[in-house]
Amino acid sequence: MLLTIANTFSQEEEKKGYKEEQLTHTNADNRYASYNKSGKKIVFESNRDGRWQIYTMDIKGNHQKPLFKSSFNDRRPTWHPYKDIVIFESNRNGVTEIYTYNLETNSIKKVPIALDGNKSFARFAPNGVQVIFSYQTKSDIVDIYMCSNKGKRLKKIIANKHVNLYPHFSPRGDNVIYYSNKNTQGESNIIYSYNIITEDRNRLTYFKDHSEFPNWSNIHGRRVTYSAKVDDMQHSEIFIMRNDAKRKIQITYNDVEDILPTWSPNDVNLLITGYRNGHYQICRILLKKPLDPNNRVLDYK
């Protein structure tokens, strides 16, 4: 069944989105931000030192500092679900491999995955024991794999001779969401979910829309945030939909690109990457503070 973007607003209502707080203000790019479990610390990547490095800051954007320093490109960090461990990708061995950094021991470990090519977009499962990631087999083919956090029990879960990226477990760990150019003749990306137990696959966004970077909400996975170009948009904005792909609403309304949304632990705000003043910056979108009184916050309880 084809799904369409539902317009939550009447044509007369102004669409101004929600209050935004910009957390980084550098003459360099800052991207891929996410909260730790407590919501007190943010990890992100930045090329402010001439190469991609991993940084942390507090929730106000203060105390920005490298998580560690290296002479390689270290990218796309995300947190362990309940430990002070960050999983990331790095080209320090010639190809892109998956590593973890333990903040308590200040140690870096490679996840020993028995695949020779580039691996990217790694995340921990909610149990902290499994890891999911994208694996490039050819320039135009990227599959999705799972394994243990020690590289064992390697399993291919998405393989369709297309590009499948940005996998993310649901809070229960039974569903994976990702985006793919499958069924669009490679012209755009759309968002799919895959149930690991039943092997059911569902399409969550419409073919004509370019949709990327989906992320489950933390509380029961009831909502999904993502970025998309819909209708005649020239750049991506941030959207939220229910996990059954219904009640899609637009969250940002800007003249520049907004991508890479992630939820706060209590789902009351989003961290996004927005193009601000010539560079990508980390911003926080406050979902309980609409800029327009007619803008309606959906209740998914």
Side-chain angles (χ1 to χ4, degrees), residues 51-55 66-77 86-102 106-111 117-119:
R51 58 184 176 274
W52 291 109
Q53 298 284 272
I54 298 172
Y55 285 75
L67 183 63
F68 57 87
K69 293 185 178 181
S70 81
S71 57
F72 308 98
N73 284 306
D74 301 322
R75 304 200 57 197
R76 300 188 177 109
V86 170
I87 193 167
F88 66 99
E89 61 192 69
S90 177
N91 65 352
R92 57 190 61 204
N93 284 332
V95 297
T96 304
E97 300 282 1
I98 306 302
Y99 295 83
T100 60
Y101 178 80
N102 190 313
N106 297 318
S107 59
I108 295 175
K109 291 184 179 179
K110 179 182 174 182
V111 181
N118 292 319
K119 308 160 192 72

Side-chain angles (χ1 to χ4, degrees), residues 39-58:
K40 295 180 179 179
K41 189 176 293 186
I42 294 169
V43 69
F44 63 101
E45 70 172 23
S46 178
N47 62 0
R48 64 186 67 179
D49 292 329
R51 58 184 176 274
W52 291 109
Q53 298 284 272
I54 298 172
Y55 285 75
T56 59
M57 61 182 169
D58 66 24

Side-chain angles (χ1 to χ4, degrees), residues 3-265:
L3 302 173
T4 58
I5 298 293
N7 185 3
T8 305
F9 306 91
S10 70
Q11 292 181 352
E12 293 78 19
E13 288 176 321
E14 277 196 356
K15 303 172 183 179
K16 295 183 178 179
Y18 295 81
K19 182 178 179 181
E20 174 183 301
E21 296 176 346
Q22 187 173 327
L23 302 182
T24 61
H25 300 81
T26 62
N27 293 320
D29 291 329
N30 306 273
R31 308 192 301 187
Y32 291 98
S34 62
Y35 290 97
N36 66 349
K37 180 67 174 180
S38 68
K40 295 180 179 179
K41 189 176 293 186
I42 294 169
V43 69
F44 63 101
E45 70 172 23
S46 178
N47 62 0
R48 64 186 67 179
D49 292 329
R51 58 184 176 274
W52 291 109
Q53 298 284 272
I54 298 172
Y55 285 75
T56 59
M57 61 182 169
D58 66 24
I59 59 175
K60 297 294 186 180
N62 299 321
H63 309 295
Q64 297 182 26
K65 61 181 180 180
L67 183 63
F68 57 87
K69 293 185 178 181
S70 81
S71 57
F72 308 98
N73 284 306
D74 301 322
R75 304 200 57 197
R76 300 188 177 109
T78 57
W79 292 95
H80 189 280
Y82 51 86
K83 295 180 180 180
D84 277 338
I85 296 175
V86 170
I87 193 167
F88 66 99
E89 61 192 69
S90 177
N91 65 352
R92 57 190 61 204
N93 284 332
V95 297
T96 304
E97 300 282 1
I98 306 302
Y99 295 83
T100 60
Y101 178 80
N102 190 313
L103 279 71
E104 294 182 356
T105 62
N106 297 318
S107 59
I108 295 175
K109 291 184 179 179
K110 179 182 174 182
V111 181
I113 302 170
L115 296 169
D116 294 331
N118 292 319
K119 308 160 192 72
S120 59
F121 298 109
R123 290 178 182 265
F124 286 107
N127 61 13
V129 175
Q130 295 168 302
V131 170
I132 194 167
F133 60 95
S134 293
Y135 172 66
Q136 185 175 13
T137 60
K138 295 182 180 179
S139 60
D140 58 348
I141 298 177
V142 182
D143 299 326
I144 294 176
Y145 281 77
M146 289 173 51
C147 65
S148 75
N149 56 17
K150 299 184 183 300
K152 306 296 184 182
R153 301 188 297 279
L154 185 64
K155 180 182 180 181
K156 185 189 297 185
I157 62 171
I158 303 293
N160 50 32
K161 297 183 179 180
H162 295 279
V163 177
N164 306 280
L165 296 172
Y166 208 72
H168 184 203
F169 282 105
S170 64
R172 292 176 56 183
D174 58 343
N175 249 292
V176 171
I177 201 168
Y178 63 100
Y179 70 85
S180 174
N181 64 358
K182 174 187 175 183
N183 296 328
T184 66
Q185 291 75 49
E187 296 180 358
S188 64
N189 293 314
I190 53 180
I191 295 170
Y192 294 86
S193 67
Y194 171 74
N195 190 297
I196 297 172
I197 298 171
T198 65
E199 300 185 353
D200 289 337
R201 290 174 170 82
N202 292 299
R203 177 169 53 82
L204 302 183
T205 55
Y206 189 44
F207 282 139
K208 68 182 180 64
D209 301 325
H210 184 73
S211 308
E212 297 178 321
F213 308 118
N215 202 296
W216 296 103
S217 63
N218 293 302
I219 301 175
H220 307 302
R222 290 192 178 111
R223 292 180 287 176
V224 173
T225 185
Y226 61 102
S227 63
K229 298 177 185 177
V230 303
D231 299 328
D232 296 324
M233 283 184 181
Q234 300 301 309
H235 56 271
S236 294
E237 298 281 8
I238 305 302
F239 289 78
I240 290 176
M241 62 181 162
R242 237 168 39 184
N243 61 9
D244 60 2
K246 297 180 180 179
R247 299 181 75 181
K248 296 179 172 71
I249 61 169
Q250 188 172 337
I251 299 301
T252 60
Y253 293 87
N254 292 308
D255 295 327
V256 290
E257 188 172 53
D258 292 326
I259 55 175
L260 296 166
T262 60
W263 298 89
S264 63

